């Protein structure tokens, strides 16, 4: 039986609730209430897209030792944000590793606890902060026939199941790892930017009724690609990560993005 590869899940379990530099100091002066970074997925879409409130963005990339995302994927991530958001004072990245939490497979609750224990960057008066965690294990929601590659679960937080990405990109016959990472990362970021109909309002009817919060267009970055075992391979078969389609871009621009 073919294994269904879920490009992502959206972390609605909390709905009730450039340059790169290594090892940035762990202080966060003039931070506002950290709870502003612990809101529902998509609720900060305008803050992320526009410069109305926040003039810059910092991305805190934390990975379990041995599971660092490729520099190519992180550069592509920053380039994606630069192309689609207004942050006149720039987008910066800080990266660091942590020891394995030793809890694989990871539950949603464990992912939240790891963030709460390790996150150091929160919104300040004019800078918005994003948390990205790369695991050494799989999601607890994986089954014998499906796997999850990433989850956007808070307004400025997402997780990438990096070990699972490794398992899908170790062979010469499998997708390029950097390309696969880029696709999953930018897809998850798309959700915290409010796609599809997740805080960034629709300008046309393109939400997939069968897979809510995803675009109906098969070539769009925000398409739900878990219908067949070859879903993710099809998305990256052209040698480049899929892009937002015209309808998603129209939504983005109406909500303050480029």
């Amino acid at each position: 039986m073919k294994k269904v590869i879920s490009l992502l899940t959206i972390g609605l379990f909390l709905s009730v609730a450039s340059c790169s530099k290594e090892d940035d100091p762990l202080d966060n002066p003039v931070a506002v209430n950290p709870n502003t970074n612990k809101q529902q997925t998509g609720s900060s879409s305008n803050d992320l897209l526009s410069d109305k409130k926040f003039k810059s963005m910092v991305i805190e990339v934390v990975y379990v030792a041995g599971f660092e995302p490729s520099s190519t994927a992180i550069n592509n991530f920053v380039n994606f944000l630069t192309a689609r958001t207004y942050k006149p004072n720039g987008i910066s990245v800080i990266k660091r590793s942590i020891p394995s939490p030793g809890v694989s497979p990871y539950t949603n609750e464990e992912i939240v606890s790891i963030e709460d224990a390790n996150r150091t960057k929160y919104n300040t008066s004019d800078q918005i902060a994003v948390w990205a965690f790369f695991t050494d294990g799989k999601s607890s929601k994986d089954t014998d026939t499906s796997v999850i590659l990433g989850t956007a679960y808070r307004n400025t937080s997402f997780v990438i199941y990096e070990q699972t990405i490794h398992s899908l990109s170790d062979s010469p016959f499998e997708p390029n790892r950097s390309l696969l990472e880029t696709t999953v990362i930018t897809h998850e970021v798309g959700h915290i930017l409010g796609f599809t109909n997740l805080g960034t309002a629709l300008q046309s009817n393109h939400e997939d009724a069968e897979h809510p919060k995803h675009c109906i267009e098969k070539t769009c970055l925000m398409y739900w690609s878990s219908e067949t075992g070859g879903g993710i391979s099809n998305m990256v078969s052209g040698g480049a990560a899929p892009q937002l389609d015209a309808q998603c871009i129209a939504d983005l621009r109406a909500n303050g993005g480029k």
Side-chain angles (χ1 to χ4, degrees):
M1 178 181 295
K2 290 185 176 180
K3 179 168 286 191
V4 177
I5 302 169
S6 298
L7 181 59
L8 64 108
T9 59
I10 308 169
L12 298 181
F13 59 93
L14 285 180
S15 61
V16 295
S18 246
C19 62
S20 172
K21 68 182 171 180
E22 295 278 354
D23 300 321
D24 192 73
L26 302 186
D27 61 326
N28 194 36
V30 201
V32 298
N33 185 345
N35 286 333
T36 61
N37 294 95
K38 299 179 181 181
Q39 305 301 314
Q40 182 174 338
T41 309
S43 62
S44 291
S45 56
N46 180 260
D47 288 340
L48 289 159
L49 289 167
S50 75
D51 62 355
K52 182 178 179 181
K53 182 176 182 180
F54 298 104
K55 308 302 182 185
S56 64
M57 184 186 306
V58 59
I59 304 165
E60 186 171 12
V61 173
V62 174
Y63 56 92
V64 175
F67 291 88
E68 180 179 2
S70 67
S71 58
T72 297
I74 296 302
N75 288 338
N76 290 340
F77 173 22
V78 173
N79 290 339
F80 174 82
L81 287 170
T82 301
R84 294 301 175 193
T85 69
Y86 286 101
K87 292 293 174 262
N89 292 344
I91 298 172
S92 59
V93 176
I94 60 171
K95 293 194 298 181
R96 72 178 190 280
S97 66
I98 62 172
S100 174
V103 295
S104 178
Y106 289 88
T107 65
N108 292 339
E109 294 75 18
E110 286 163 344
I111 292 298
V112 169
S113 294
I114 290 166
E115 176 185 358
D116 290 346
N118 292 278
R119 182 167 182 163
T120 66
K121 294 298 180 182
Y122 294 92
N123 297 352
T124 61
S125 58
D126 64 355
Q127 182 179 73
I128 192 166
V130 172
W131 163 268
F133 178 51
F134 295 78
T135 73
D136 61 338
K138 63 182 183 178
S139 167
S140 65
K141 294 184 179 297
D142 286 0
T143 70
D144 290 339
T145 56
S146 68
V147 295
I148 293 172
L149 302 185
T151 303
Y153 61 94
R154 278 175 169 169
N155 58 328
T156 61
S157 307
F158 65 91
V159 59
I160 303 297
Y161 294 99
E162 185 70 13
Q163 184 190 59
T164 302
I165 288 180
H166 281 208
S167 71
L168 296 172
S169 57
D170 285 333
S171 164
F173 302 102
E174 293 176 322
N176 173 273
R177 182 169 297 166
S178 294
L179 181 56
L180 187 58
E181 288 173 331
T182 297
T183 300
V184 180
I185 292 169
T186 53
H187 189 123
E188 299 307 329
V189 172
H191 281 304
I192 68 172
L193 294 180
F195 298 122
T196 300
N197 199 24
L198 188 64
T200 290
L202 297 178
Q203 302 302 300
S204 59
N205 185 21
H206 65 104
E207 182 179 5
D208 189 337
E210 294 185 10
H211 305 292
K213 312 310 176 187
H214 294 87
C215 183
I216 200 168
E217 296 297 331
K218 294 181 180 180
T219 58
C220 180
L221 174 65
M222 301 312 298
Y223 180 68
W224 174 265
S225 183
S226 64
E227 301 297 333
T228 67
I232 189 67
S233 297
N234 291 339
M235 291 190 76
V236 300
S237 61
Q243 302 297 307
L244 295 172
D245 82 320
Q247 295 178 99
C248 280
I249 292 174
D251 296 348
L252 175 149
R253 289 174 174 165
N255 195 26
K258 293 180 182 177

